[in-house]
Amino acid sequence: MDHPQVATGQVITITSGKGGVGKTTTTANIGVALARRGKRVAVIDADIGLRNLDVVMGLENRVVYNLMHVVRGAVDAERALIRDKRVEGLMMLAADQHSDKDDVSQDEMIQVCEDLRPHVDYVLVDSPAGIEQGFRNALAPADRVILVTTPEVSAVRDADRVVGLVEAAGKGAPVLVLNRIKPDLVARGDMMSTADVLDILRVDILGVVPEDAGIVAATNRGEPVALDAASRAGRAFHNIAARIEGETVPLLALDETESRGFLKSLSSLFRTGQDGG
C-alpha cells in the first residue's frame, strides 16, 4: 500500500555580514514573491532580542506567539505562525524582543525548522547580521544560504568573511543578492559593479536589486515592495523567486554593463535542491 508523501520544505537562511544592507527587507520580499507563485512559505525572524521582520511585513499588530514560545514548548511551531491576509500561503514566526540570542541553541533552531518542513514548501530564516551566536543559530538548519550585500567596500568585505564561514559549516557556497545598486554611480566608477563584487566573493549571483526609493516608503507602511510586481525592485524580487524555483531568468537589465556576462551563472542556481539532492 502506497503511503502519501509528506511535504518537506526547503530551509533557506538569508544572511549578511554587515547590518543595514537590506537583509530583512530582502527576506520579506522573497517570501512574498515565492508565495505569489503559489508556494507555502514560512518566514522566521531569528534576530532574537530585536524583532523587525514583523514590522517590515506589516504584521506587528497580529503577533501572539513568537519563536521563544515555540522553543520553550508553549506552542507548536505551526500554530505560532501568523498568516498574511494579503498573500495566500505566506506565514511568519516573529522573534522575541525580550530574550537574548544565547537563549536559543542551534539544535533548537533546527528543531523549529524541522517541525515546519511538513507544512510548507520553503522556510526562510532571517539571520541577524554579524557572525556571532545568532548567525550560527540561523545557519544551522539551512539547506541553502542566500547572502545579501550592497556594493560598498565594507559590506563586501564582511560578506567575504561570511562566505568562508558558510562553507566551513558544510553548507556549500552561498548565492548572492546584490542590493541597492545604482547604475549611474557604477557607470561613473563611483560604485562597485556586479562584476567587481563577484570577482571578490567568487559566488554565484542570485539577483540584483536596484536602488528604489519606493522600498523605503513601502517598508515604512509594512508593505513589501514585491506586492507590487510592476516596480523595478518588485520585479527583481519576483525574478529571484523564479531562480530559487530553478528557472533560468536573465538579470534585471539595469544597464548593459551590469547585465552582460552573468547570465550563464544563473542556470545552475538551486537546481540540485529541486531534485532533493
Side-chain angles (χ1 to χ4, degrees):
M1 178 178 178
D2 293 331
H3 296 283
Q5 187 173 5
V6 176
T8 303
Q10 183 178 137
V11 179
I12 302 175
T13 294
I14 301 174
T15 190
S16 66
K18 189 175 183 292
V21 299
K23 171 184 52 57
T24 295
T25 301
T26 297
T27 302
N29 280 289
I30 291 176
V32 168
L34 285 169
R36 279 281 173 87
R37 294 174 65 86
K39 301 301 176 182
R40 295 164 299 165
V41 184
V43 186
I44 300 177
D45 189 345
D47 200 355
I48 300 165
L50 291 178
R51 201 177 105 180
N52 293 306
L53 184 60
D54 57 323
V55 175
V56 171
M57 296 181 71
L59 300 173
E60 68 273 19
N61 293 327
R62 297 182 52 211
V63 175
V64 176
Y65 300 110
N66 60 51
L67 178 60
M68 291 308 301
H69 289 117
V70 177
V71 169
R72 291 168 178 159
V75 63
D76 63 57
E78 201 272 336
R79 186 183 170 201
L81 293 172
I82 301 167
R83 269 68 177 176
D84 192 313
K85 296 179 180 179
R86 300 160 300 184
V87 185
E88 185 178 355
L90 181 61
M91 298 156 277
M92 186 207 68
L93 178 58
D96 182 5
Q97 287 178 289
H98 306 294
S99 296
D100 186 85
K101 293 174 177 63
D102 292 331
D103 292 338
V104 178
S105 70
Q106 294 180 44
D107 287 343
E108 287 168 334
M109 186 64 73
I110 290 170
Q111 188 59 56
V112 171
C113 291
E114 288 300 315
D115 290 345
L116 289 175
R117 282 185 192 269
H119 304 286
V120 298
D121 299 296
Y122 293 99
V123 178
L124 304 183
V125 180
D126 181 24
S127 168
I131 56 175
E132 305 304 327
Q133 182 64 39
F135 163 77
R136 293 192 291 271
N137 288 345
L139 184 62
D143 301 313
R144 298 280 187 273
V145 179
I146 295 174
L147 175 63
V148 182
T149 189
T150 53
E152 301 161 348
V153 173
S154 60
V156 173
R157 175 178 289 179
D158 288 350
D160 189 42
R161 170 75 169 139
V162 170
V163 171
L165 293 172
V166 171
E167 292 177 336
K171 303 297 182 178
V175 289
L176 180 70
V177 170
L178 185 59
N179 198 25
R180 297 178 186 159
I181 195 159
K182 300 178 182 178
D184 55 334
L185 294 186
V186 173
R188 296 204 306 262
D190 293 331
M191 176 175 276
M192 298 173 72
S193 69
T194 305
D196 295 331
V197 176
L198 292 178
D199 189 54
I200 294 169
L201 298 182
R202 303 290 181 177
V203 295
D204 285 325
I205 185 83
L206 180 64
V208 177
V209 181
E211 179 71 26
D212 187 339
I215 291 181
V216 176
T219 299
N220 287 337
R221 294 193 304 267
E223 298 175 358
V225 70
L227 290 170
D228 176 17
S231 68
R232 296 194 79 196
R235 290 202 309 275
F237 285 117
H238 282 275
N239 288 346
I240 287 169
R243 295 184 195 112
I244 289 173
E245 287 271 272
E247 298 179 19
T248 302
V249 181
L251 287 177
L252 194 65
L254 304 180
D255 66 24
E256 210 172 314
T257 60
E258 281 299 299
S259 60
R260 187 192 306 145
F262 302 114
L263 303 186
K264 289 189 290 185
S265 67
L266 298 175
S267 61
S268 63
L269 292 179
F270 285 82
R271 289 287 190 193
T272 56
Q274 301 306 310
D275 296 328

PDB file of all heavy atoms in Angstrom, residues 80-99:
ATOM      1  N   ALA A  80       2.079  28.705  15.895  1.00  0.00           N
ATOM      2  CA  ALA A  80       2.625  30.026  16.210  1.00  0.00           C
ATOM      3  C   ALA A  80       2.726  30.930  14.986  1.00  0.00           C
ATOM      4  O   ALA A  80       2.933  32.142  15.117  1.00  0.00           O
ATOM      5  CB  ALA A  80       4.001  29.876  16.857  1.00  0.00           C
ATOM      6  N   LEU A  81       2.576  30.370  13.795  1.00  0.00           N
ATOM      7  CA  LEU A  81       2.717  31.163  12.568  1.00  0.00           C
ATOM      8  C   LEU A  81       1.561  32.146  12.404  1.00  0.00           C
ATOM      9  O   LEU A  81       0.407  31.822  12.659  1.00  0.00           O
ATOM     10  CB  LEU A  81       2.761  30.239  11.345  1.00  0.00           C
ATOM     11  CG  LEU A  81       3.978  29.321  11.223  1.00  0.00           C
ATOM     12  CD1 LEU A  81       3.771  28.346  10.067  1.00  0.00           C
ATOM     13  CD2 LEU A  81       5.260  30.128  11.020  1.00  0.00           C
ATOM     14  N   ILE A  82       1.883  33.344  11.967  1.00  0.00           N
ATOM     15  CA  ILE A  82       0.880  34.347  11.620  1.00  0.00           C
ATOM     16  C   ILE A  82       0.647  34.282  10.120  1.00  0.00           C
ATOM     17  O   ILE A  82       1.586  34.363   9.329  1.00  0.00           O
ATOM     18  CB  ILE A  82       1.362  35.757  11.991  1.00  0.00           C
ATOM     19  CG1 ILE A  82       1.667  35.842  13.480  1.00  0.00           C
ATOM     20  CG2 ILE A  82       0.334  36.807  11.582  1.00  0.00           C
ATOM     21  CD1 ILE A  82       2.427  37.094  13.853  1.00  0.00           C
ATOM     22  N   ARG A  83      -0.604  34.123   9.719  1.00  0.00           N
ATOM     23  CA  ARG A  83      -0.942  34.078   8.293  1.00  0.00           C
ATOM     24  C   ARG A  83      -1.081  35.490   7.750  1.00  0.00           C
ATOM     25  O   ARG A  83      -1.792  36.313   8.332  1.00  0.00           O
ATOM     26  CB  ARG A  83      -2.262  33.328   8.073  1.00  0.00           C
ATOM     27  CG  ARG A  83      -2.114  31.841   7.837  1.00  0.00           C
ATOM     28  CD  ARG A  83      -1.634  31.090   9.055  1.00  0.00           C
ATOM     29  NE  ARG A  83      -1.565  29.642   8.815  1.00  0.00           N
ATOM     30  CZ  ARG A  83      -1.109  28.780   9.691  1.00  0.00           C
ATOM     31  NH1 ARG A  83      -0.666  29.187  10.861  1.00  0.00           N
ATOM     32  NH2 ARG A  83      -1.073  27.496   9.409  1.00  0.00           N
ATOM     33  N   ASP A  84      -0.420  35.773   6.642  1.00  0.00           N
ATOM     34  CA  ASP A  84      -0.552  37.065   5.981  1.00  0.00           C
ATOM     35  C   ASP A  84      -1.856  37.069   5.188  1.00  0.00           C
ATOM     36  O   ASP A  84      -2.038  36.254   4.287  1.00  0.00           O
ATOM     37  CB  ASP A  84       0.641  37.311   5.056  1.00  0.00           C
ATOM     38  CG  ASP A  84       0.720  38.742   4.564  1.00  0.00           C
ATOM     39  OD1 ASP A  84      -0.314  39.272   4.123  1.00  0.00           O
ATOM     40  OD2 ASP A  84       1.817  39.324   4.609  1.00  0.00           O
ATOM     41  N   LYS A  85      -2.755  37.976   5.511  1.00  0.00           N
ATOM     42  CA  LYS A  85      -4.070  38.004   4.861  1.00  0.00           C
ATOM     43  C   LYS A  85      -4.010  38.515   3.428  1.00  0.00           C
ATOM     44  O   LYS A  85      -4.945  38.319   2.651  1.00  0.00           O
ATOM     45  CB  LYS A  85      -5.033  38.867   5.681  1.00  0.00           C
ATOM     46  CG  LYS A  85      -5.331  38.309   7.067  1.00  0.00           C
ATOM     47  CD  LYS A  85      -6.259  39.216   7.851  1.00  0.00           C
ATOM     48  CE  LYS A  85      -6.548  38.652   9.231  1.00  0.00           C
ATOM     49  NZ  LYS A  85      -7.441  39.530  10.030  1.00  0.00           N
ATOM     50  N   ARG A  86      -2.923  39.177   3.062  1.00  0.00           N
ATOM     51  CA  ARG A  86      -2.814  39.730   1.707  1.00  0.00           C
ATOM     52  C   ARG A  86      -2.303  38.711   0.695  1.00  0.00           C
ATOM     53  O   ARG A  86      -2.607  38.806  -0.494  1.00  0.00           O
ATOM     54  CB  ARG A  86      -1.860  40.934   1.703  1.00  0.00           C
ATOM     55  CG  ARG A  86      -2.276  42.076   2.607  1.00  0.00           C
ATOM     56  CD  ARG A  86      -1.095  42.975   2.914  1.00  0.00           C
ATOM     57  NE  ARG A  86      -0.018  42.229   3.579  1.00  0.00           N
ATOM     58  CZ  ARG A  86       1.101  42.790   4.028  1.00  0.00           C
ATOM     59  NH1 ARG A  86       1.286  44.088   3.891  1.00  0.00           N
ATOM     60  NH2 ARG A  86       2.027  42.056   4.609  1.00  0.00           N
ATOM     61  N   VAL A  87      -1.490  37.775   1.168  1.00  0.00           N
ATOM     62  CA  VAL A  87      -0.837  36.824   0.267  1.00  0.00           C
ATOM     63  C   VAL A  87      -1.097  35.415   0.782  1.00  0.00           C
ATOM     64  O   VAL A  87      -0.585  35.025   1.839  1.00  0.00           O
ATOM     65  CB  VAL A  87       0.685  37.075   0.175  1.00  0.00           C
ATOM     66  CG1 VAL A  87       1.308  36.146  -0.866  1.00  0.00           C
ATOM     67  CG2 VAL A  87       0.986  38.532  -0.142  1.00  0.00           C
ATOM     68  N   GLU A  88      -1.872  34.652   0.056  1.00  0.00           N
ATOM     69  CA  GLU A  88      -2.175  33.278   0.462  1.00  0.00           C
ATOM     70  C   GLU A  88      -0.905  32.445   0.502  1.00  0.00           C
ATOM     71  O   GLU A  88      -0.073  32.501  -0.403  1.00  0.00           O
ATOM     72  CB  GLU A  88      -3.177  32.647  -0.510  1.00  0.00           C
ATOM     73  CG  GLU A  88      -3.634  31.269  -0.092  1.00  0.00           C
ATOM     74  CD  GLU A  88      -4.667  30.681  -1.026  1.00  0.00           C
ATOM     75  OE1 GLU A  88      -5.095  31.386  -1.961  1.00  0.00           O
ATOM     76  OE2 GLU A  88      -5.046  29.517  -0.817  1.00  0.00           O
ATOM     77  N   GLY A  89      -0.750  31.701   1.577  1.00  0.00           N
ATOM     78  CA  GLY A  89       0.402  30.816   1.701  1.00  0.00           C
ATOM     79  C   GLY A  89       1.592  31.423   2.405  1.00  0.00           C
ATOM     80  O   GLY A  89       2.574  30.733   2.672  1.00  0.00           O
ATOM     81  N   LEU A  90       1.530  32.725   2.725  1.00  0.00           N
ATOM     82  CA  LEU A  90       2.653  33.396   3.380  1.00  0.00           C
ATOM     83  C   LEU A  90       2.401  33.468   4.884  1.00  0.00           C
ATOM     84  O   LEU A  90       1.353  33.931   5.330  1.00  0.00           O
ATOM     85  CB  LEU A  90       2.841  34.801   2.811  1.00  0.00           C
ATOM     86  CG  LEU A  90       4.004  35.621   3.399  1.00  0.00           C
ATOM     87  CD1 LEU A  90       5.341  34.936   3.146  1.00  0.00           C
ATOM     88  CD2 LEU A  90       3.999  37.033   2.814  1.00  0.00           C
ATOM     89  N   MET A  91       3.394  33.015   5.671  1.00  0.00           N
ATOM     90  CA  MET A  91       3.280  32.964   7.120  1.00  0.00           C
ATOM     91  C   MET A  91       4.562  33.460   7.759  1.00  0.00           C
ATOM     92  O   MET A  91       5.625  33.413   7.141  1.00  0.00           O
ATOM     93  CB  MET A  91       2.999  31.527   7.583  1.00  0.00           C
ATOM     94  CG  MET A  91       1.693  30.947   7.071  1.00  0.00           C
ATOM     95  SD  MET A  91       1.698  29.127   7.024  1.00  0.00           S
ATOM     96  CE  MET A  91       2.519  28.814   5.460  1.00  0.00           C
ATOM     97  N   MET A  92       4.464  33.934   8.996  1.00  0.00           N
ATOM     98  CA  MET A  92       5.635  34.478   9.683  1.00  0.00           C
ATOM     99  C   MET A  92       5.673  34.041  11.134  1.00  0.00           C
ATOM    100  O   MET A  92       4.633  33.953  11.789  1.00  0.00           O
ATOM    101  CB  MET A  92       5.620  36.005   9.621  1.00  0.00           C
ATOM    102  CG  MET A  92       6.890  36.629  10.206  1.00  0.00           C
ATOM    103  SD  MET A  92       6.622  38.295  10.859  1.00  0.00           S
ATOM    104  CE  MET A  92       5.568  37.940  12.259  1.00  0.00           C
ATOM    105  N   LEU A  93       6.886  33.771  11.617  1.00  0.00           N
ATOM    106  CA  LEU A  93       7.127  33.499  13.032  1.00  0.00           C
ATOM    107  C   LEU A  93       8.032  34.604  13.551  1.00  0.00           C
ATOM    108  O   LEU A  93       9.177  34.752  13.106  1.00  0.00           O
ATOM    109  CB  LEU A  93       7.778  32.125  13.218  1.00  0.00           C
ATOM    110  CG  LEU A  93       8.132  31.720  14.656  1.00  0.00           C
ATOM    111  CD1 LEU A  93       6.904  31.731  15.558  1.00  0.00           C
ATOM    112  CD2 LEU A  93       8.795  30.339  14.667  1.00  0.00           C
ATOM    113  N   ALA A  94       7.523  35.396  14.490  1.00  0.00           N
ATOM    114  CA  ALA A  94       8.251  36.563  14.985  1.00  0.00           C
ATOM    115  C   ALA A  94       9.340  36.162  15.977  1.00  0.00           C
ATOM    116  O   ALA A  94       9.291  35.105  16.597  1.00  0.00           O
ATOM    117  CB  ALA A  94       7.272  37.538  15.653  1.00  0.00           C
ATOM    118  N   ALA A  95      10.312  37.072  16.139  1.00  0.00           N
ATOM    119  CA  ALA A  95      11.318  36.914  17.191  1.00  0.00           C
ATOM    120  C   ALA A  95      10.765  37.460  18.503  1.00  0.00           C
ATOM    121  O   ALA A  95       9.697  38.067  18.545  1.00  0.00           O
ATOM    122  CB  ALA A  95      12.598  37.642  16.793  1.00  0.00           C
ATOM    123  N   ASP A  96      11.517  37.249  19.573  1.00  0.00           N
ATOM    124  CA  ASP A  96      11.141  37.759  20.895  1.00  0.00           C
ATOM    125  C   ASP A  96      12.083  38.900  21.252  1.00  0.00           C
ATOM    126  O   ASP A  96      13.301  38.733  21.309  1.00  0.00           O
ATOM    127  CB  ASP A  96      11.250  36.631  21.928  1.00  0.00           C
ATOM    128  CG  ASP A  96      10.837  37.072  23.326  1.00  0.00           C
ATOM    129  OD1 ASP A  96      10.372  38.215  23.477  1.00  0.00           O
ATOM    130  OD2 ASP A  96      10.987  36.270  24.268  1.00  0.00           O
ATOM    131  N   GLN A  97      11.515  40.077  21.504  1.00  0.00           N
ATOM    132  CA  GLN A  97      12.327  41.238  21.842  1.00  0.00           C
ATOM    133  C   GLN A  97      12.928  41.150  23.239  1.00  0.00           C
ATOM    134  O   GLN A  97      13.873  41.874  23.553  1.00  0.00           O
ATOM    135  CB  GLN A  97      11.473  42.507  21.770  1.00  0.00           C
ATOM    136  CG  GLN A  97      11.122  42.948  20.370  1.00  0.00           C
ATOM    137  CD  GLN A  97      10.235  44.182  20.398  1.00  0.00           C
ATOM    138  OE1 GLN A  97       9.080  44.099  20.768  1.00  0.00           O
ATOM    139  NE2 GLN A  97      10.785  45.305  20.002  1.00  0.00           N
ATOM    140  N   HIS A  98      12.403  40.300  24.082  1.00  0.00           N
ATOM    141  CA  HIS A  98      12.791  40.287  25.489  1.00  0.00           C
ATOM    142  C   HIS A  98      13.703  39.118  25.841  1.00  0.00           C
ATOM    143  O   HIS A  98      13.914  38.829  27.024  1.00  0.00           O
ATOM    144  CB  HIS A  98      11.534  40.264  26.362  1.00  0.00           C
ATOM    145  CG  HIS A  98      10.580  41.371  26.042  1.00  0.00           C
ATOM    146  ND1 HIS A  98      10.883  42.691  26.259  1.00  0.00           N
ATOM    147  CD2 HIS A  98       9.344  41.345  25.471  1.00  0.00           C
ATOM    148  CE1 HIS A  98       9.867  43.450  25.866  1.00  0.00           C
ATOM    149  NE2 HIS A  98       8.925  42.659  25.381  1.00  0.00           N
ATOM    150  N   SER A  99      14.226  38.462  24.841  1.00  0.00           N
ATOM    151  CA  SER A  99      15.167  37.365  25.069  1.00  0.00           C
ATOM    152  C   SER A  99      16.505  37.724  24.440  1.00  0.00           C
ATOM    153  O   SER A  99      16.656  38.768  23.790  1.00  0.00           O
ATOM    154  CB  SER A  99      14.628  36.061  24.475  1.00  0.00           C
ATOM    155  OG  SER A  99      13.435  35.666  25.119  1.00  0.00           O
TER     156      SER A  99
END
